[in-house]
Amino acid sequence: MLPVKSSRMRDMASEIAVSIIGAGHCGCAIAADVLCRGGKALLYAHPDHSAALHAILRQGYLGVSGKMCGRFMPVLCNDLSEALRFSDYLVLALPSFAHDEMIAALAAHDLARHVVVCIAGNFFCLAARRSLRARAILETSSAPYASRVVGAEVKVMGIKSQLHIASLAPISDQGTLQALACLFPMPLRWYRNVLEAGLSCINAVLHPVPALLNTGWIESTAGDFHFYRQGMSASVVRVMQAIDQERMRIASRYGLSVRSAVDMMNAYYGGRFASLCDFARESAEHNQEKMAPSSMRHRFIEQDVPLVLVPWHELGLKAGIDALTMRAIIQIASIVRRQPPPAEGVALRRLGLAGLDRRGILAAVAAV
């Protein structure tokens, strides 16, 4: 059960208006949740990626099932300027490989009054800080929900009991902090800085390894298996745990204490799993749907390797750690994707951290 917010917080939630950038699994779930709590929501999609908007228009509503139920109608929009006029609060719910394009699009607008929150940011704040001049830029390390959208129907399989978030720069305005708390139905847990947020994006522990080690099954069945219960066998989980251990070692070299992937999943969903094996086999939220990629051109590889695993590995090198399991998975992913291995330092250049050592990176993050 979710923690109950105060009546004042519930009243404020009904006053919230938010522009949601991205009409995929997460964006549709956020829109439904905000509308369910009495707020106002605009759902934006690029004209080239508007299938969900067209489906909602045809059906006449966004249907929601699972942990939330109902029929809701967000404002639907293909015009970014209209989305910016609708609300001062922007929630970006896009795949990470679309972040740079959206940063460029937003950079053409005056965001002085806007608060930008990137869901499952994957180092979004660092990538955006040189281009966006917003009132505040924030990112979460995960989505608030486990959800899937098909057409105009979104199924919410799980709602996290807490949402971890970080801000590019400290936020002192209490009105902004209260509004942020009301955007989501669960309490916010604040990271020390955006580096800690980026090192806590555990999708890169949960997704690339089982996707790559189940390549044959994915390509033979087009993903017709349970990704968690069947794809995360004991041997696969051992590799996942090696990635997780390397991630935590890297974080510790930057003076950050991040929790293990299984501890984070327990905190999110109120579980008591002793291991990732137990979580994969028994998680109700993650085994309601099969959730396996239908091909290897999937965000579990296309997003979580180059935009999370590669930055983790490069941060490790700066701190004197060559994360060998991460390096192996990055190499295998490059072969599967038919792409050359990433050039040395490419991820940190994107984040504006190239040429810095460990101390320099810590200073740069602390200075924003």
Side-chain angles (χ1 to χ4, degrees), residues 97 296-307 337:
F97 48 73
M296 300 310 292
R297 307 297 296 185
H298 190 273
R299 63 185 175 86
F300 288 1
I301 305 297
E302 299 286 295
Q303 169 177 286
D304 294 336
V305 174
L307 295 170
R337 296 171 69 220

Side-chain angles (χ1 to χ4, degrees), residues 40-365:
K40 299 175 182 177
L42 176 146
L43 198 55
Y44 165 88
H46 188 279
D48 294 340
H49 303 284
S50 296
L53 300 193
H54 295 316
I56 295 168
L57 277 173
R58 285 193 300 270
Q59 181 164 276
Y61 59 86
L62 172 63
V64 191
S65 61
K67 297 291 185 178
M68 292 187 284
C69 294
R71 297 178 176 182
F72 305 98
M73 194 60 188
V75 176
L76 305 178
C77 170
N78 286 134
D79 185 331
L80 188 57
S81 295
E82 180 184 343
L84 295 176
R85 288 192 297 270
F86 182 83
S87 175
D88 293 348
Y89 288 86
L90 307 180
V91 173
L92 274 57
L94 298 165
S96 293
F97 48 73
H99 284 175
D100 287 350
E101 184 178 346
M102 180 50 61
I103 290 169
L106 288 172
H109 296 269
D110 179 6
L111 301 179
R113 63 184 179 87
H114 287 88
V115 174
V116 180
V117 184
C118 187
I119 299 298
N122 296 344
F123 297 99
F124 174 86
C125 286
L126 291 172
R129 63 176 176 164
R130 291 171 295 177
S131 301
L132 303 187
R133 295 293 179 262
R135 177 154 59 102
I137 305 174
L138 306 96
E139 66 180 87
T140 70
S141 59
S142 69
Y145 324 92
S147 58
R148 287 293 179 271
V149 66
V150 177
E153 298 288 331
V154 60
K155 182 177 182 181
V156 178
M157 297 166 287
I159 303 175
K160 290 185 171 67
S161 61
Q162 54 189 262
L163 186 65
H164 293 80
I165 193 168
S167 175
L168 185 61
I171 299 174
S172 57
D173 177 63
Q174 289 302 308
T176 299
L177 291 172
Q178 287 183 339
L180 286 167
C182 291
L183 276 177
F184 305 102
M186 66 286 291
L188 300 181
R189 299 287 183 256
W190 289 86
Y191 286 119
R192 189 181 315 179
N193 55 41
V194 295
L195 187 63
E196 188 173 44
L199 284 163
S200 299
C201 297
I202 59 169
N203 279 347
V205 175
L206 300 178
H207 294 160
V209 168
L212 289 165
L213 297 190
N214 284 283
T215 297
W217 207 354
I218 291 169
E219 293 184 334
S220 298
T221 70
D224 188 19
F225 65 97
H226 284 271
F227 186 70
Y228 285 81
R229 177 165 54 83
Q230 295 176 299
M232 297 183 187
S233 66
S235 298
V236 171
V237 168
R238 281 197 291 274
V239 183
M240 295 166 63
Q241 289 173 327
I243 295 278
D244 204 28
Q245 290 293 326
E246 290 174 346
R247 175 185 68 90
M248 290 188 287
R249 282 181 57 216
I250 292 166
S252 70
R253 290 301 305 272
Y254 287 91
L256 303 171
S257 179
V258 299
R259 290 187 289 177
S260 70
V262 69
D263 284 348
M264 291 182 72
M265 296 309 288
N266 282 336
Y268 286 152
Y269 295 107
R272 296 183 178 179
F273 300 118
S275 67
L276 275 177
C277 267
D278 291 344
F279 160 75
R281 184 174 57 248
E282 299 173 19
S283 172
E285 292 83 2
H286 296 81
N287 286 298
Q288 290 182 41
E289 305 283 339
K290 291 185 175 178
M291 298 176 72
S294 59
S295 77
M296 300 310 292
R297 307 297 296 185
H298 190 273
R299 63 185 175 86
F300 288 1
I301 305 297
E302 299 286 295
Q303 169 177 286
D304 294 336
V305 174
L307 295 170
V308 188
L309 273 186
V310 174
W312 285 356
H313 184 255
E314 291 185 7
L315 286 166
L317 291 176
K318 293 288 187 177
I321 297 172
D322 187 0
L324 296 179
T325 312
M326 288 185 191
R327 178 144 57 97
I329 294 301
I330 291 165
Q331 290 289 104
I332 293 170
S334 295
I335 296 169
V336 169
R337 296 171 69 220
R338 298 182 179 181
Q339 301 262 339
E344 183 178 350
V346 64
L348 294 189
R349 280 196 296 276
R350 174 178 175 266
L351 304 181
L353 302 176
L356 301 178
D357 59 11
R358 181 181 64 87
R359 291 183 179 179
I361 290 170
L362 285 171
V365 171

